[in-house]
Amino acid sequence: LLVLTPLGYEANGARRWLRVGISIQPAEIAKLAMILFLASFICKLGKGIRSRKGFLLVLGIPLPICALVWFITENMSSAIIIFGIAFLMLFVASPDYKPFVIIGSLGVAVVAVAVFALTQLDASQLGVRGARILAWLDPEAYASGKGFQTLQALYAIGSGGIFGKGLGQSMQKLGFLPETQNDMIFSIVCEELGLFGGIAIILMFLLLIWRFMIIANNASDLFGALLVVGVLGHIAIQVILNIAVVTNTIPNTGITLPFISYGGTSAAFLLAEMGLALSVSRQIKVIK
């Protein structure tokens, strides 16, 4: 809500930041706050999470926060991440998997129907997000508009080949590809280091996620395990969405790549989350 006050400011057509001596993006605070709150709340709820009321309560908690992030800052991608974190934490804490299958199936069906409906409309009738979906389905048809960034990213990935052009030798980052330091950094990695560099980045993230899983499985209590699951969910969802956007697997959503993309607030809060995971791992008793 502070974004709507004079403390908030606009950059690149989006009003998502606060200027309080330093620049802060409230959506990043919301991600960490959701992890901490839900870990505590689920522990206090205990066996109550097995009831329909408890399940719906935990699932409904992130919805107002997601709505605020989406409609006030117009940041749908962060809203999706916040809900995804809550969904994964609830999935781990809940003993019954049937509701998640139903919710997932309904979600896929709704998205498929929405995409089909959008394709039946004229581009002039659609908003920014609708235009992005059309550009995702046929980027060449929108090469001078919403498909430009996606096409340039694909050119960067394709021109890198197996081993790339060499570190620092990217051509696309010299003004051809917008937001190379943020959303599209993975395409520049592929251009400079090739398929080898891209796979190396993915393997490092997989190793990090695997270590999170080990820490969560061996955590001394449920609260610690849920903290680590929340951090795992945040990083995993963000990595998947970023790489999917860059490779045109999903429509462009403006997601940064954790620890690699430029961004002060994102880096600071990701490091704070890593500190939480490490604090949980320190409590694990090693049997000698």
Side-chain angles (χ1 to χ4, degrees), residues 39-56:
S40 176
F41 185 77
I42 291 172
C43 288
K44 290 182 178 179
L45 199 60
K47 293 183 179 179
I49 201 171
R50 299 180 182 180
S51 67
R52 182 178 296 179
K53 180 181 178 181
F55 179 88
L56 293 176

Side-chain angles (χ1 to χ4, degrees), residues 184-204:
M184 294 294 164
I185 192 69
F186 185 75
S187 63
I188 302 304
V189 170
C190 291
E191 184 182 7
E192 295 189 353
L193 303 178
L195 183 64
F196 173 81
I199 291 176
I201 293 290
I202 293 171
L203 288 176
M204 283 192 286

Side-chain angles (χ1 to χ4, degrees), residues 164-242:
K165 297 178 177 178
L167 196 62
Q169 301 303 309
S170 167
M171 291 295 296
Q172 292 298 104
K173 70 181 181 184
L174 302 177
F176 297 100
L177 176 59
E179 299 299 327
T180 53
Q181 77 281 11
N182 288 333
D183 310 346
M184 294 294 164
I185 192 69
F186 185 75
S187 63
I188 302 304
V189 170
C190 291
E191 184 182 7
E192 295 189 353
L193 303 178
L195 183 64
F196 173 81
I199 291 176
I201 293 290
I202 293 171
L203 288 176
M204 283 192 286
F205 278 118
L206 287 174
L207 177 61
L208 181 63
I209 291 167
W210 176 65
R211 290 300 304 173
F212 281 143
M213 292 174 64
I214 291 176
I215 294 171
N217 281 330
N218 293 281
S220 57
D221 57 14
L222 178 60
F223 178 73
L226 288 173
L227 277 181
V228 177
V229 168
V231 176
L232 181 158
H234 178 195
I235 293 176
I237 293 169
Q238 205 154 315
V239 169
I240 292 168
L241 290 180
N242 178 270

Side-chain angles (χ1 to χ4, degrees), residues 87-109:
F87 191 80
L88 183 61
M89 292 177 73
L90 180 59
F91 176 78
V92 170
S94 177
D96 187 9
Y97 296 155
K98 185 178 178 181
F100 297 96
V101 175
I102 296 172
I103 293 170
S105 301
L106 287 173
V108 171

Side-chain angles (χ1 to χ4, degrees), residues 4-176:
L4 301 176
T5 70
L7 289 175
Y9 72 95
E10 187 175 315
N12 296 325
R15 193 178 180 89
R16 299 176 181 173
W17 293 269
L18 297 174
R19 183 171 282 131
V20 285
I22 58 172
S23 176
I24 296 177
Q25 190 171 5
E28 297 300 327
I29 302 174
K31 294 171 188 175
L32 177 57
M34 186 59 61
I35 294 170
L36 291 168
F37 178 80
L38 279 185
S40 176
F41 185 77
I42 291 172
C43 288
K44 290 182 178 179
L45 199 60
K47 293 183 179 179
I49 201 171
R50 299 180 182 180
S51 67
R52 182 178 296 179
K53 180 181 178 181
F55 179 88
L56 293 176
L57 181 61
V58 175
L59 194 63
I61 284 173
L63 294 181
I65 308 301
C66 293
L68 288 170
V69 170
W70 187 349
F71 294 110
I72 290 180
T73 65
E74 298 183 0
N75 191 350
M76 186 177 70
S77 54
S78 288
I80 291 171
I81 292 171
I82 292 168
F83 185 78
I85 291 169
F87 191 80
L88 183 61
M89 292 177 73
L90 180 59
F91 176 78
V92 170
S94 177
D96 187 9
Y97 296 155
K98 185 178 178 181
F100 297 96
V101 175
I102 296 172
I103 293 170
S105 301
L106 287 173
V108 171
V110 169
V111 169
V113 170
V115 171
F116 177 76
L118 287 171
T119 58
Q120 305 307 307
L121 298 174
D122 186 76
S124 60
Q125 298 176 282
L126 300 175
V128 173
R129 293 186 178 88
R132 283 181 177 181
I133 291 174
L134 294 182
W136 163 59
L137 295 171
D138 188 9
E140 288 86 359
Y142 300 87
S144 60
K146 293 296 181 182
F148 178 78
Q149 189 180 39
T150 298
L151 282 175
Q152 295 300 320
L154 294 175
Y155 292 155
I157 294 171
S159 64
I162 301 297
F163 295 106
K165 297 178 177 178
L167 196 62
Q169 301 303 309
S170 167
M171 291 295 296
Q172 292 298 104
K173 70 181 181 184
L174 302 177
F176 297 100

